[in-house]
Amino acid sequence: MHATNSRGHSPAFLQPQNGNGHRSSGYVPGKVVPLRPPPPPKSQASAKCPSIRQETRASFAFSPEEQQAQGRSQKQKRHKNTFICFAITSFSFFVALAIILGISSKYAPDENCPDQNPRLINWDPGQDSAKHVVIKEGDMFRLTSDATVNSIVIQDGGLLVFGDNKDGSRNITLRTRYILIKDGGALHIGAEKCRYTSKATIALYGKSDEGESMPTFGKKFIGVEAGGTLELHGAQKASWTLLARTLHSSGLTYGSYAFEKNFSRGLNVRVIDQDTAKILESVRFDTHEYHNESRRLQEFLRAQDPGRIVAIAVGDSAAKSLLQGTIQMIQDRLGSKLIQGLGYRQAWALVGVIDGGSTSCNESVRNYENHSSGGKALAQREFYTVDGQKFAVTAYSEWIEGVSLSGFRVEVVDGVKLHLLDDVSSWEPGAQVVVASTDFSMYQAEEFTLLPCPECSRFQVKVKEVPQFLHMGEIIDGVDMRAEVGILTRNVAIQGEMEDSCYGENQCQFFDYDTFGGHVMITKNFTSVHLSYVELKHLGQQQQLGRYPIHFHLCGDVDYKGGYRHRTSVDGLSIHHSFSR
């Protein structure tokens, strides 16, 4: 046995203090033997340090195996603690870095967004139709509000940028007779890598017989000459798609239905298919004059399938020969509560569902007084076809100055659903769309306004107006007859302001409307022109050759062959209501 006095070496088994090999009770060979504490020192102050040293030198005795195990355990603990500390420190560092980067990115300008150029100065020229604006070297303007000027020339390194917000809350309209961009001048609304999110409109105003005419470009234009840059980039969206199902006139597969007649005595009945809104039965029962007619009505209702929609309207009078069995049948199968007390010449109308109970029944009654019912007895209920199209069934009855009227309507309500081939989730409510003609007449193309449609899938939209023509949505005998559906609205727009009617020497013998729109013209040696997802409306000038909505005039090659590293492009444009091709 030997003793050690250095920390980190193996603890030793100590010789008994009495010098013999006597083992105390409870001693087990190979186990750590606790030592007896030394006698208390005379002075605690003088003994404090030695006692500590003594305890540190040897407090326990270990076997060689346990000494090695404890060493390994301590080493593992040290490594584990070091790893934990490193992990916590690293995590804290990266969290702090993420917060700092997040804050800085929120407020730091995006170099891809032209309106975030820190050198730009906010510009508000106001409303002055006599102001001629020249943006030249050193002028770097950010347009932040509506403005009206006479003209704008951007040249010699001048820059005009439309301001934008990430939430798309801006709505800027710039009205001018013309914009000319040349000799290093540039106009930017968004960029390909930072598309404009707000609403921007350039409105070109002026009549053909007023204002100055500029060389090459004429009047009412956006012109790009040598050295000019025009970059317009609206929000990206699907430009057009095809109908996936045929769009029927009136929005219903079998069309809408309207009927009105005077003095159609008795109970006028219509049976409608709940899945397609198709009129299945159109029958009149003269229950005023004949009991047999009442019995015939009873059997008619008995034979109807559950779920069928039934509409009834009184013409003239229907109560005189109406049998109790028929009344009971109307109550049982249609849920009527007013039929029991129906009187002479009372106006009564009902819309219900066979075996649908009183909750499915809507009815109304009006008394006959002084040759009038004082208004319509009107009943109406709304339903959905199997395609999800909402429609209403209406029945009505009334007396007007001694004349009895009764009628029915079946029509779409709350918009018409269009089923489309592609994902159009980028199309927003309020936008205008066009459905092309699938007939020989181009005049059967129709425009519609999109409505909110939370129940629509990404392949459906709902439109406000009711279609007037049939638009095919099928491939027939291998021929693709599906109508194109395009969205006309863009958040960046160039449009001509038009007069209410034709005027002056604008070929008014052929046109009763103004045909002097704006135009966009680019001439050779321009620096850069890219237009994407821009709306061009009321452009082109009928009376002037070469005045098209957008016109690259004798520019030659405008890709890499012509020396343009970033080839010129127009993409996703909406060009409509034009006055020249």
Side-chain angles (χ1 to χ4, degrees):
M1 293 267 181
H2 67 276
T4 180
N5 59 0
S6 60
R7 183 181 297 271
H9 288 75
S10 300
F13 294 104
L14 302 182
Q15 294 284 353
Q17 293 182 2
N18 56 10
N20 60 34
H22 172 75
R23 298 173 182 175
S24 63
S25 62
Y27 171 80
V28 179
K31 294 294 184 181
V32 177
V33 180
L35 300 179
R36 290 180 183 178
K42 295 179 180 179
S43 171
Q44 291 185 357
S46 61
K48 184 176 182 181
C49 290
S51 65
I52 294 175
R53 285 195 298 270
Q54 184 177 357
E55 288 181 2
T56 58
R57 288 173 64 182
S59 296
F60 298 95
F62 295 92
S63 68
E65 294 82 359
E66 290 192 342
Q67 168 226 338
Q68 294 176 1
Q70 187 176 27
R72 287 194 300 269
S73 175
Q74 290 177 350
K75 187 175 182 180
Q76 290 175 354
K77 287 181 179 179
R78 285 197 300 271
H79 289 171
K80 182 178 181 181
N81 292 339
T82 302
F83 176 76
I84 292 173
C85 292
F86 176 77
I88 293 174
T89 304
S90 301
F91 177 75
S92 301
F93 171 77
F94 284 113
V95 168
L97 181 64
I99 294 173
I100 293 171
L101 291 177
I103 294 174
S104 62
S105 64
K106 180 178 180 181
Y107 297 101
D110 187 341
E111 62 181 7
N112 294 316
C113 300
D115 70 302
Q116 296 185 31
N117 186 336
R119 299 171 61 190
L120 292 174
I121 299 173
N122 288 345
W123 183 55
D124 181 13
Q127 305 292 326
D128 185 354
S129 59
K131 181 183 291 185
H132 295 267
V133 176
V134 177
I135 301 175
K136 57 189 184 303
E137 182 179 4
D139 295 335
M140 303 182 73
F141 294 151
R142 180 194 295 112
L143 184 63
T144 57
S145 59
D146 293 348
T148 298
V149 297
N150 184 284
S151 63
I152 299 175
V153 177
I154 309 173
Q155 62 185 21
D156 302 328
L159 174 64
L160 176 59
V161 178
F162 274 56
D164 195 7
N165 285 340
K166 288 185 177 180
D167 61 0
S169 59
R170 287 189 184 274
N171 188 346
I172 300 174
T173 298
L174 173 61
R175 299 179 65 249
T176 181
R177 291 185 182 273
Y178 67 83
I179 299 175
L180 179 59
I181 309 165
K182 62 180 183 177
D183 300 332
L187 171 60
H188 290 266
I189 303 178
E192 288 189 65
K193 294 184 178 179
C194 181
R195 296 192 171 276
Y196 198 76
T197 59
S198 301
K199 176 67 177 175
T201 303
I202 297 176
L204 301 171
Y205 70 89
K207 300 172 68 174
S208 61
D209 54 4
E210 65 181 21
E212 62 178 327
S213 180
M214 300 295 292
T216 305
F217 300 99
K219 302 177 182 180
K220 209 171 180 178
F221 65 87
I222 296 176
V224 183
E225 282 189 337
T229 294
L230 178 63
E231 296 285 338
L232 308 180
H233 301 277
Q236 196 166 4
K237 61 181 67 180
S239 295
W240 65 280
T241 182
L242 297 171
L243 283 179
R245 295 184 188 176
T246 296
L247 177 63
H248 297 270
S249 62
S250 80
L252 294 171
T253 302
Y254 294 96
S256 59
Y257 176 80
F259 173 88
E260 183 177 88
K261 191 173 182 180
N262 58 359
F263 294 110
S264 183
R265 191 174 65 187
L267 291 178
N268 299 276
V269 180
R270 301 293 183 271
V271 179
I272 303 105
D273 179 50
Q274 66 272 27
D275 292 333
T276 63
K278 179 183 180 181
I279 301 295
L280 301 177
E281 302 274 1
S282 177
V283 193
R284 181 174 70 91
F285 302 90
D286 188 357
T287 56
H288 173 80
E289 189 68 24
Y290 307 105
H291 288 134
N292 282 340
E293 286 289 278
S294 181
R295 297 186 184 95
R296 189 168 69 92
L297 173 58
Q298 185 175 346
E299 292 304 314
F300 177 84
L301 292 176
R302 192 192 313 278
Q304 297 304 316
D305 294 331
R308 294 294 192 206
I309 302 167
V310 175
I312 304 176
V314 170
D316 192 349
S317 183
K320 179 181 175 183
S321 300
L322 190 61
L323 300 176
Q324 185 59 40
T326 306
I327 292 174
Q328 190 64 46
M329 180 64 70
I330 295 173
Q331 290 175 328
D332 292 344
R333 299 219 71 183
L334 294 173
S336 173
K337 295 181 179 180
L338 300 178
I339 186 64
Q340 183 65 56
L342 187 64
Y344 174 69
R345 285 191 169 176
Q346 276 189 323
W348 174 69
L350 173 145
V351 176
V353 177
I354 293 291
D355 296 340
S358 59
T359 56
S360 69
C361 173
N362 182 263
E363 57 183 334
S364 174
V365 66
R366 281 187 171 272
N367 293 325
Y368 174 78
E369 296 178 0
N370 299 323
H371 308 291
S372 176
S373 58
K376 287 182 179 179
L378 181 69
Q380 184 180 75
R381 277 211 60 201
E382 295 176 348
F383 306 90
Y384 287 89
T385 68
V386 291
D387 293 333
Q389 178 60 56
K390 190 176 182 180
F391 68 98
V393 176
T394 304
Y396 59 90
S397 172
E398 69 175 326
W399 282 88
I400 303 175
E401 297 180 353
V403 177
S404 170
L405 288 175
S406 60
F408 303 92
R409 292 194 305 272
V410 178
E411 57 195 347
V412 297
V413 291
D414 298 337
V416 177
K417 272 189 179 180
L418 275 58
H419 301 265
L420 306 173
L421 185 64
D422 299 302
D423 182 348
V424 291
S425 54
S426 59
W427 295 6
E428 298 177 345
Q432 295 291 119
V433 298
V434 61
V435 181
S437 171
T438 53
D439 198 276
F440 292 105
S441 171
M442 68 178 183
Y443 297 105
Q444 290 191 14
E446 298 187 76
E447 292 182 37
F448 303 99
T449 305
L450 296 185
L451 292 173
C453 185
E455 73 274 14
C456 286
S457 74
R458 55 197 176 99
F459 298 96
Q460 298 172 325
V461 292
K462 183 187 289 184
V463 297
K464 179 181 179 181
E465 296 80 9
V466 176
Q468 301 301 307
F469 305 103
L470 174 74
H471 301 271
M472 297 297 295
E474 302 171 29
I475 299 175
I476 301 175
D477 295 333
V479 179
D480 194 342
M481 295 293 293
R482 295 174 295 185
E484 297 85 356
V485 182
I487 184 164
L488 302 177
T489 305
R490 302 287 189 274
N491 67 315
V492 175
I494 303 171
Q495 63 185 38
E497 290 189 2
M498 310 308 298
E499 302 298 318
D500 294 334
S501 60
C502 189
Y503 61 89
E505 298 181 0
N506 290 334
Q507 301 181 15
C508 296
Q509 69 272 28
F510 302 113
F511 307 101
D512 58 2
Y513 51 87
D514 184 6
T515 60
F516 189 73
H519 71 104
V520 178
M521 188 173 185
I522 301 100
T523 59
K524 65 180 180 180
N525 296 326
F526 60 87
T527 295
S528 177
V529 173
H530 300 92
L531 279 68
S532 62
Y533 300 94
V534 178
E535 179 181 356
L536 307 178
K537 180 181 180 181
H538 290 156
L539 299 188
Q541 296 172 357
Q542 182 66 46
Q543 50 281 85
Q544 297 289 329
L545 182 65
R547 297 292 187 260
Y548 313 124
I550 183 167
H551 179 196
F552 288 85
H553 179 64
L554 301 177
C555 291
D557 291 323
V558 293
D559 57 2
Y560 66 93
K561 293 181 181 179
Y564 293 91
R565 184 177 62 179
H566 190 189
R567 63 183 182 181
T568 306
S569 63
V570 292
D571 180 28
L573 303 188
S574 161
I575 306 173
H576 61 100
H577 294 88
S578 305
F579 304 112
S580 183
R581 59 183 173 170

